[in-house]
Amino acid sequence: MVFEILARDPGCEARRGRLATGHGPIETPVFMPVGTQGSVKGLSPDELEALGARIILGNTYHLHMRPGAERIARLGGLHAFMHWPRSILTDSGGFQVFSLARINKIEEEGVVFQSHLDGSRHLLSPEIAVNIQMQLNSDIAMVFDECNSYPVSYAYAHESMQRSVRWAERSKAAHDLPAQALFGIVQGSVFLDLRKSCLDQLAAIGFDGYALGSLSVGEPKEEMLAVLETMTPLLPVSSPRYLMGVGTPEDIVEGVRLGVDMFDCVMPTRNARNGMLFTSRGSIQIKNSAYADDATPIETGCSCYTCQRFSRAYLRHLFMARELLAYRLNTLHNLHYYLNLMAAIRQAIEHGRFEAWRKAFYGERSRGAWG
Amino acid sequence: MVFEILARDPGCEARRGRLATGHGPIETPVFMPVGTQGSVKGLSPDELEALGARIILGNTYHLHMRPGAERIARLGGLHAFMHWPRSILTDSGGFQVFSLARINKIEEEGVVFQSHLDGSRHLLSPEIAVNIQMQLNSDIAMVFDECNSYPVSYAYAHESMQRSVRWAERSKAAHDLPAQALFGIVQGSVFLDLRKSCLDQLAAIGFDGYALGSLSVGEPKEEMLAVLETMTPLLPVSSPRYLMGVGTPEDIVEGVRLGVDMFDCVMPTRNARNGMLFTSRGSIQIKNSAYADDATPIETGCSCYTCQRFSRAYLRHLFMARELLAYRLNTLHNLHYYLNLMAAIRQAIEHGRFEAWRKAFYGERSRGAWG
């Protein structure tokens, strides 16, 4: 994996880069749609590619539970399995183990948990998580870590961070797939000294990229921003910087301003399935009865497949009738919104006018989606 | 609407025709995918068109209940509402009223029923059903009729058939949209004299096409075939003949042999959502564990979107994980199977070798999907 920085914005930390994996170049800052179980819910690989997605995220925990990494390996790896020719980043399973499964115990070796599907007992350790990701043959793998919820005590955050560092070291030792990059994950909850200590130790081990984990897990927005503002500029400048699981369009704009290169979040896809649609002036809820006779598209001027063809009235009807097409058309629009946002951000940085663009972005939103 | 017969098979009643509506030509024999609520479940209009669908079915009952025909009319009619540029046939609502809603009473005026959605009371009469279809602005409308379940007594079938004839007459009187064709529906359950009497009366009124209704409603296959064999050749030879709600690939082949031009059925779409996939050698159930590691497509050699890209193993995984993409990919395959079957049938009739083709069709199926 090669990462180059093509341009820097003069007014802030924002950077415009390019990440090259074995599955093609990825222009950064980039948003990665979430393909939890080997599918970005409702969309075909062709649609993802047409939307401009160049890297998606796969969830190690989910794929390990079903259909199993060995099976995917036998079938040619995750790219072949899901027929996705572009890049894939896999998480380490840590986040899902701590949020979805029933934890039995966390010990130095790893985490013993029960599957959310059938209650079966499993161990996930740094070696196992890395091995699964090598079997999936993703382009970018993540170290196995403990994801902290919010709030946690300083003492627990400290102990957990130190264990995550030891797990990161073991993850690197177990990693043996030259074509696959391995990223470290900075932990330490909202405690800046713990975050800094974690980063120092990870940088000493050496990774292909660095992520900020355990953010957007319930902490107040200001606490998240404080961590972001302090930590992002400290992340190794020549490596890609990844803000995990974040976030709203505003979160992404702020992350970019502080120098983040990569984002992922279920928000555009999950909200789409709940009828919440993004526009440049904020979001709308399609089931609102105000749209029952509305012949206009979700957003006038939007070039997405959905807005080019369908009215709010039709989308509302599909959603109320729980038609499968509703989830897909909504997802197409929301991902188009996110990926288009990233394209606009990249262009603004290229032209050295990210701050002006950012001001216009907030100006549009302040008008309100109902205006 | 213009209907011309382009070729007849020398060995049977099969005919190759062309139906021209305001939304383009339709090659017959034709299969019409079912778009119940303004959407063929899971598919976009572009996908339907790419599959070769040239006419789909919309359900008057469903669209009347939600979002309402007046609303669809305000939004430009059903074609514009769902962004479907090809032809649409709407049923009269009769079938759903008798199968889905709670009937309060059947009287000469029409049927009083309660919505399956919210229990609200509604009246559907010939005039109302035709008016709804004119608001939807479909290319082909159907008369309002009573759909008989199976079995019914001769006396009831007789009384019901005579009422359906009177309703057909009122449907025609209420119909006032020259660009929209209106088809009559032959009733009479499995009683051949009632069917013949019904047809005679409908032909005397005069319709643009004639349908056989209340078949495939639970009667033994032989009874259905007996009605088909007797009635199809009696249907006016120069008008399109439509066998409603039928059926399996075998049913369609037999219908064509007896001279039917048009078919519709939820089978390819509904079965797809239940994991049942059609192949030339019979159907398979994708959730079968035998497919967990199967790297081959649903049917080797199939040119559909799904088979060109995805393995049975991946489709099984999507289905087990209840991923939205499963329903769509399965539906694409099954509709491709049906529409491809119709294309093969049309070609066979054109070449005057339908009987030989039919023999080969059954020969393939007798090998079994597991062979």
Side-chain angles (χ1 to χ4, degrees):
Chain A
M1 191 197 73
V2 178
F3 180 62
E4 40 175 346
I5 294 171
L6 308 174
R8 289 168 197 280
D9 193 82
C12 64
E13 297 293 319
R15 35 205 249 159
R16 166 80 181 84
R18 184 173 295 141
L19 195 58
T21 75
H23 291 93
I26 299 157
E27 308 299 325
T28 67
V30 67
F31 179 80
M32 304 182 282
V34 178
T36 308
Q37 311 186 94
S39 167
V40 174
K41 292 192 190 305
L43 301 195
S44 68
D46 304 67
E47 282 170 327
L48 279 172
E49 193 154 6
L51 283 168
R54 292 297 173 262
I55 177 168
I56 63 173
L57 188 142
N59 285 122
T60 285
Y61 169 84
H62 286 286
L63 294 167
H64 179 47
M65 294 295 103
R66 181 174 58 193
E70 289 182 12
R71 171 163 290 144
I72 292 176
R74 281 196 299 273
L75 291 159
L78 187 53
H79 293 85
F81 185 59
M82 64 183 292
H83 200 76
W84 171 245
R86 305 285 187 167
S87 300
I88 299 174
L89 179 146
T90 43
D91 65 8
S92 68
F95 182 80
Q96 274 74 27
V97 163
F98 288 98
S99 63
L100 208 55
R102 189 154 103 199
I103 299 289
N104 291 106
K105 50 187 172 185
I106 305 170
E107 45 193 22
E108 192 59 29
E109 173 61 15
V111 182
V112 178
F113 64 94
Q114 287 181 266
S115 162
H116 74 295
L117 294 177
D118 61 6
S120 57
R121 277 169 75 96
H122 299 267
L123 167 70
L124 210 54
S125 68
E127 292 77 15
I128 294 170
V130 163
N131 192 47
I132 291 169
Q133 293 180 81
M134 291 194 294
Q135 289 183 306
L136 296 175
N137 202 14
S138 57
D139 300 281
I140 302 174
M142 303 299 296
V143 299
F144 186 65
D145 63 338
E146 179 176 347
C147 182
N148 291 145
S149 52
Y150 177 88
V152 285
S153 69
Y154 183 89
Y156 187 81
H158 189 196
E159 176 197 333
S160 165
M161 178 274 281
Q162 284 301 151
R163 186 169 45 228
S164 284
V165 168
R166 293 190 295 274
W167 285 356
E169 195 158 16
R170 284 167 52 194
S171 295
K172 182 164 178 183
H175 189 248
D176 182 26
L177 191 62
Q180 184 182 59
L182 182 67
F183 282 21
I185 305 175
V186 178
Q187 295 291 351
S189 186
V190 294
F191 307 108
L192 298 177
D193 62 323
L194 297 183
R195 290 270 180 187
K196 286 179 193 169
S197 164
C198 185
L199 172 56
D200 287 345
Q201 296 179 75
L202 291 176
I205 300 168
F207 290 96
D208 299 309
Y210 296 86
L212 293 170
S214 300
L215 287 175
S216 210
V217 292
E219 75 282 4
K221 196 72 104 179
E222 311 83 64
E223 296 232 48
M224 180 176 96
L225 272 176
V227 174
L228 262 185
E229 278 174 13
T230 303
M231 295 308 300
T232 314
L234 299 178
L235 295 173
V237 73
S238 58
S239 302
R241 299 157 163 180
Y242 168 25
L243 177 53
M244 300 183 82
V246 174
T248 65
E250 290 87 343
D251 291 339
I252 288 175
V253 169
E254 293 314 304
V256 167
R257 180 176 65 85
L258 295 165
V260 174
D261 306 301
M262 302 167 71
F263 302 85
D264 80 282
C265 191
V266 294
M267 191 171 274
T269 42
R270 182 176 293 165
N271 286 11
R273 299 194 305 280
N274 294 323
M276 212 217 79
L277 304 173
F278 289 92
T279 83
S280 60
R281 294 173 65 176
S283 55
I284 68 171
Q285 174 48 257
I286 197 65
K287 77 177 168 202
N288 193 310
S289 62
Y291 303 129
D293 279 297
D294 190 338
T296 67
I298 301 167
E299 177 156 23
T300 301
C302 175
S303 63
C304 86
Y305 178 86
T306 304
C307 287
Q308 289 293 307
R309 285 162 183 76
F310 305 102
S311 64
R312 291 172 171 182
Y314 182 64
L315 295 172
R316 177 179 190 269
H317 164 65
L318 291 182
F319 190 77
M320 299 304 284
R322 296 189 192 84
E323 280 285 338
L324 289 170
L325 191 58
Y327 311 114
R328 174 174 165 199
L329 294 180
N330 292 353
T331 302
L332 281 170
H333 173 81
N334 275 1
L335 275 184
H336 174 89
Y337 175 83
Y338 264 69
L339 295 169
N340 206 44
L341 176 72
M342 303 314 292
I345 285 173
R346 290 194 296 268
Q347 198 180 38
I349 302 170
E350 276 167 25
H351 293 93
R353 50 174 181 75
F354 179 75
E355 282 298 332
W357 177 89
R358 178 170 164 263
K359 210 169 158 181
F361 166 83
Y362 283 112
E364 270 299 296
R365 298 182 91 71
S366 70
R367 293 171 64 201
W370 294 88
Chain B
M1 193 198 72
V2 178
F3 180 62
E4 40 177 344
I5 293 172
L6 308 174
R8 289 169 197 280
D9 192 82
C12 64
E13 297 293 319
R15 34 206 249 157
R16 166 79 181 85
R18 182 173 296 142
L19 195 58
T21 76
H23 291 93
I26 300 156
E27 307 300 326
T28 66
V30 68
F31 179 80
M32 305 183 281
V34 178
T36 308
Q37 312 186 95
S39 166
V40 174
K41 293 193 191 304
L43 300 195
S44 69
D46 305 66
E47 283 170 326
L48 279 173
E49 193 154 4
L51 283 168
R54 292 296 173 260
I55 178 167
I56 63 173
L57 188 141
N59 285 121
T60 285
Y61 169 84
H62 285 286
L63 294 166
H64 180 47
M65 293 296 102
R66 181 174 58 194
E70 289 181 12
R71 170 161 290 144
I72 292 176
R74 281 195 300 273
L75 291 159
L78 187 54
H79 292 86
F81 185 59
M82 64 184 290
H83 199 78
W84 171 245
R86 303 287 187 164
S87 300
I88 298 174
L89 178 147
T90 44
D91 64 10
S92 67
F95 182 79
Q96 274 75 28
V97 162
F98 289 97
S99 62
L100 209 55
R102 189 155 103 198
I103 299 290
N104 291 108
K105 51 186 172 183
I106 304 170
E107 46 193 20
E108 191 59 29
E109 171 61 16
V111 182
V112 178
F113 64 93
Q114 287 180 267
S115 162
H116 74 294
L117 294 176
D118 60 6
S120 58
R121 278 169 74 96
H122 299 267
L123 167 70
L124 210 55
S125 68
E127 291 77 14
I128 295 171
V130 163
N131 192 47
I132 292 169
Q133 293 179 82
M134 290 194 294
Q135 289 183 306
L136 297 175
N137 202 15
S138 56
D139 300 281
I140 302 174
M142 303 299 296
V143 300
F144 186 65
D145 63 337
E146 178 177 346
C147 182
N148 292 145
S149 51
Y150 177 87
V152 286
S153 69
Y154 183 89
Y156 188 82
H158 189 196
E159 175 198 334
S160 165
M161 178 275 281
Q162 284 300 151
R163 185 166 48 227
S164 284
V165 168
R166 293 190 296 274
W167 285 356
E169 195 158 15
R170 283 167 53 195
S171 294
K172 182 164 178 182
H175 189 248
D176 183 27
L177 191 62
Q180 185 181 59
L182 183 66
F183 281 21
I185 306 176
V186 178
Q187 294 291 351
S189 187
V190 294
F191 307 108
L192 297 177
D193 62 322
L194 297 182
R195 290 271 179 185
K196 285 180 193 169
S197 164
C198 185
L199 172 57
D200 287 345
Q201 297 179 74
L202 291 177
I205 301 169
F207 290 96
D208 300 310
Y210 297 86
L212 293 170
S214 301
L215 287 176
S216 211
V217 293
E219 75 282 4
K221 196 73 102 179
E222 312 83 66
E223 296 233 48
M224 180 176 96
L225 273 175
V227 174
L228 262 185
E229 279 175 13
T230 303
M231 295 308 301
T232 314
L234 298 178
L235 296 173
V237 73
S238 58
S239 303
R241 300 157 162 180
Y242 169 23
L243 177 53
M244 301 183 81
V246 174
T248 64
E250 290 87 344
D251 291 339
I252 288 175
V253 169
E254 294 313 304
V256 166
R257 181 175 64 85
L258 296 166
V260 174
D261 306 301
M262 304 166 71
F263 302 85
D264 80 281
C265 190
V266 294
M267 192 171 275
T269 42
R270 181 176 292 165
N271 286 12
R273 299 195 304 281
N274 293 324
M276 210 217 80
L277 304 172
F278 289 92
T279 83
S280 60
R281 294 173 64 175
S283 55
I284 68 171
Q285 174 48 255
I286 197 63
K287 77 177 168 203
N288 192 310
S289 62
Y291 303 129
D293 280 297
D294 190 339
T296 67
I298 301 168
E299 178 157 23
T300 301
C302 175
S303 63
C304 85
Y305 178 85
T306 304
C307 285
Q308 289 292 308
R309 285 162 183 76
F310 305 101
S311 64
R312 292 172 171 183
Y314 181 65
L315 295 172
R316 178 179 190 269
H317 165 65
L318 291 181
F319 190 77
M320 299 304 286
R322 298 189 191 85
E323 279 285 338
L324 289 170
L325 191 58
Y327 311 116
R328 173 173 166 202
L329 294 180
N330 291 353
T331 302
L332 281 170
H333 173 81
N334 276 0
L335 275 183
H336 173 89
Y337 176 83
Y338 264 68
L339 295 169
N340 206 44
L341 176 72
M342 302 315 291
I345 285 173
R346 290 193 296 267
Q347 199 180 37
I349 302 171
E350 275 167 26
H351 292 91
R353 50 174 180 74
F354 179 75
E355 282 297 334
W357 177 89
R358 178 171 164 262
K359 209 169 158 182
F361 165 82
Y362 284 112
E364 269 300 295
R365 297 182 90 72
S366 71
R367 293 171 64 201
W370 294 88

